[in-house]
Amino acid sequence: MQIENKTFDELQIGDSAELRRLITPDDLIIFATASGNYNTMHLPGFDTDGDGKSEEVAPGMFTASLIAGVLGSMLPGPGTLYRNQTLSFMERAHAGEELLARVTVVDKQAGGLITLRTEVIRASDDAVIVNGEAQVMAPETKFVAKDIHIPGLLVQRHRHFDALIEQAAPLPALITAVVCPVTEESLNGALLAADDSIITPILIGNAAKIQAAAKSLGRELTGIEIIDEPSDTGAAQMGCQLARDGRANAVMKGHLHTDDLLRAMVDKETGLRTGRRFTHVFVMDVPGEPEPLLVTDAAINISPDLKTKVDITQNAIELAVSLGLEPRAGILSAVETVNPDIQSSVDAALLSKMADRGQIKGGAVDGPLAMDNAVDMAAARTKGLKGAVAGRANILVVPGIDAGNMLAKQLSYISHAEAAGLVLGAQVPVILNSRSDGAMSRLASCAVAAIHHFSQQGD
């Protein structure tokens, strides 16, 4: 971005400059964080006046700050210092509206003092939001810079999970066998999902521990079915039995080891096999990304062969379709070209060709792709990669569990993503969260399971 000022000697009466700005909900959050003004009238998601909808009113000083943006960046520009500003707030602006901030020189005085008429106008109807007058000390020294770079800001909120929970809200409550919800964390996620009518939980495990966890949370379990099963193994088997008998449409992992739950699920006689491999998908809400990002398989299949990767990819595509996404599966490797010495690149090329021939259905598949050119359009262009997936992948199929686990945790702990976890390929969706996951991850996992289950029922 090039920036250039106008010195006091260059400025003329009538000189004008303007700046357009679309107000976004993130702008409101950033301003609240910077200013300490947490008036909920100005924040997304709050209904302060009780009319049933979020107000999302732009703070008056935020709209006025657009005037300062014109003065400091454009006219007079760098070197300008405020002396005085009057403001009259005529209307209110809201998130989603485009504003036009304009300044016009009306007077020059000896000593470098400039007076400017200032106003902020709503672009859609020319309504004046703010007007006033500014007095500034204009710069005396000419300044031009051709490459001004300001670091971007990332708002750490999880709009994609909010949208998934909203998508699940009108669906029937998913009857869910919750296995071993014997700690506050594992029980709370199920109860929050029940509060939102996303699931109807059946709690299976040590009844005394379940009641103790509920007491610690300050919650009553009246009306919720509890099946007393002291052992983790027995609780996992009971969860599978409820699913096989049609009493439950999903299984949710509580506070037990994943291996104990999976062992019951893969049992040939009493488990939940369907003929397709069980695969795990993380649905990740990464701040700043335009849609959820699916990472698979990072939890079950350790070193998947080509046949297993077919199921991993197909399961993820079907889940993406259920969530309303346009599936674009990037098959990851260390490189974007086929190298016979790197098996993951060979597998990726075969999966891509299998999708071309209809052996994998429902979405676009491309590989091998390195991580950068899977998710970044500029990196894909640099490598000369074209097609629907390169630079735009929303499904990342990893070479093995090491890479998948590292990728998912990097997104969570470095990029501040939230992760919902689901096992696919069983007779019912299996909600599989880590024991360290918070309530939002568990709630979103329930929403994903409900959306996928009822989407599959409708096919």
Side-chain angles (χ1 to χ4, degrees):
M1 176 179 68
Q2 179 169 319
I3 190 168
E4 179 178 355
N5 67 3
K6 279 195 170 184
T7 65
F8 178 82
D9 291 337
E10 293 175 317
L11 289 166
Q12 302 293 325
I13 304 297
D15 284 351
S16 182
E18 60 186 34
L19 173 70
R20 286 181 178 269
R21 175 69 176 268
L22 176 68
I23 306 175
T24 70
D26 283 358
D27 289 331
L28 306 185
I29 294 171
I30 291 169
F31 189 81
T33 302
S35 67
N37 177 6
Y38 298 115
N39 181 350
T40 53
M41 288 284 288
H42 305 314
L43 294 173
F46 291 93
D47 175 19
T48 308
D49 61 9
D51 67 353
K53 60 183 180 180
S54 176
E55 291 79 34
E56 298 188 5
V57 177
M61 294 310 294
F62 170 80
T63 58
S65 72
L66 301 181
I67 296 170
V70 184
L71 294 171
S73 300
M74 303 173 71
L75 186 76
T80 300
L81 293 174
Y82 253 128
R83 288 288 299 272
N84 185 51
Q85 173 79 64
T86 63
L87 296 168
S88 295
F89 298 95
M90 315 300 292
E91 296 276 352
R92 298 297 176 191
H94 300 79
E97 296 179 346
E98 185 179 39
L99 300 183
L100 176 68
R102 182 185 295 126
V103 304
T104 304
V105 178
V106 296
D107 190 29
K108 291 179 67 176
Q109 299 180 30
L113 188 65
I114 301 291
T115 302
L116 306 99
R117 183 172 63 252
T118 60
E119 57 188 346
V120 179
I121 299 166
R122 185 163 49 227
S124 62
D125 60 2
D126 293 329
V128 176
I129 306 297
V130 183
N131 63 23
E133 186 175 86
Q135 288 186 323
V136 302
M137 296 301 298
E140 297 180 358
T141 304
K142 188 67 177 176
F143 178 87
V144 180
K146 295 183 178 180
D147 188 18
I148 297 292
H149 175 70
I150 303 298
L153 296 178
L154 183 65
V155 176
Q156 295 176 24
R157 67 185 183 114
H158 299 99
R159 68 187 74 188
H160 301 313
F161 277 5
D162 291 341
L164 289 173
I165 292 166
E166 185 177 343
Q167 186 179 344
L171 299 173
L174 185 68
I175 302 174
T176 303
V178 186
V179 180
C180 298
V182 295
T183 62
E184 292 180 32
E185 294 80 7
S186 58
L187 179 60
N188 193 37
L191 295 181
L192 287 175
D195 290 343
D196 286 356
S197 300
I198 295 173
I199 71 169
T200 297
I202 301 174
L203 309 179
I204 308 168
N206 186 308
K209 291 182 178 180
I210 293 172
Q211 291 287 1
K215 184 176 180 180
S216 297
L217 290 169
R219 299 293 299 263
E220 293 288 338
L221 299 180
T222 304
I224 297 177
E225 182 178 358
I226 301 174
I227 299 176
D228 187 16
E229 177 52 64
S231 75
D232 289 357
T233 299
Q237 292 172 342
M238 177 59 70
C240 291
Q241 181 179 324
L242 293 182
R244 285 197 320 275
D245 293 345
R247 286 193 59 203
N249 301 125
V251 174
M252 183 176 184
K253 175 180 175 284
H255 190 76
L256 77 163
H257 199 282
T258 300
D259 288 348
D260 290 333
L261 181 60
L262 292 178
R263 193 175 299 113
M265 289 166 49
V266 300
D267 186 280
K268 292 183 179 179
E269 300 298 327
T270 60
L272 300 176
R273 289 175 177 264
T274 63
R276 189 181 287 185
R277 287 296 295 262
F278 289 178
T279 68
H280 182 271
V281 179
F282 277 122
V283 180
M284 308 208 71
D285 187 339
V286 185
E289 288 300 304
E291 58 186 346
L293 189 63
L294 278 58
V295 176
T296 186
D297 180 337
I300 294 180
N301 293 284
I302 297 173
S303 298
D305 58 15
L306 179 63
K307 184 177 180 180
T308 302
K309 288 180 180 178
V310 171
D311 285 349
I312 289 171
T313 306
Q314 188 66 65
N315 284 343
I317 287 173
E318 291 175 4
L319 178 59
V321 170
S322 295
L323 298 179
L325 302 176
E326 176 189 337
R328 299 182 296 276
I331 314 300
L332 298 185
S333 184
V335 293
E336 65 281 342
T337 56
V338 178
N339 184 335
D341 294 327
I342 303 177
Q343 186 59 45
S344 61
S345 74
V346 177
D347 288 349
L350 291 170
L351 290 167
S352 181
K353 181 55 66 176
M354 292 172 78
D356 290 343
R357 300 293 169 86
Q359 293 173 270
I360 300 173
K361 299 179 173 66
V365 179
D366 194 11
L369 294 172
M371 181 66 187
D372 57 346
N373 47 57
V375 299
D376 184 83
M377 189 63 74
R381 289 197 188 103
T382 299
K383 293 296 179 71
L385 301 176
K386 300 178 181 179
V389 179
R392 303 176 59 237
N394 54 14
I395 300 171
L396 300 177
V397 180
V398 299
I401 199 170
D402 283 351
N405 188 270
M406 291 176 192
L407 174 57
K409 288 183 177 175
Q410 285 168 351
L411 291 172
S412 294
Y413 289 94
I414 296 176
S415 299
H416 307 288
E418 287 274 5
L422 205 64
V423 175
L424 305 171
Q427 293 178 24
V428 298
V430 180
I431 301 162
L432 191 66
N433 288 104
S434 167
R435 283 173 286 184
S436 63
D437 282 342
M440 173 56 81
S441 288
R442 296 174 188 273
L443 180 59
S445 296
C446 292
V448 170
I451 293 166
H452 186 54
H453 170 76
F454 289 110
S455 174
Q456 295 291 97
Q457 295 296 107
D459 290 344

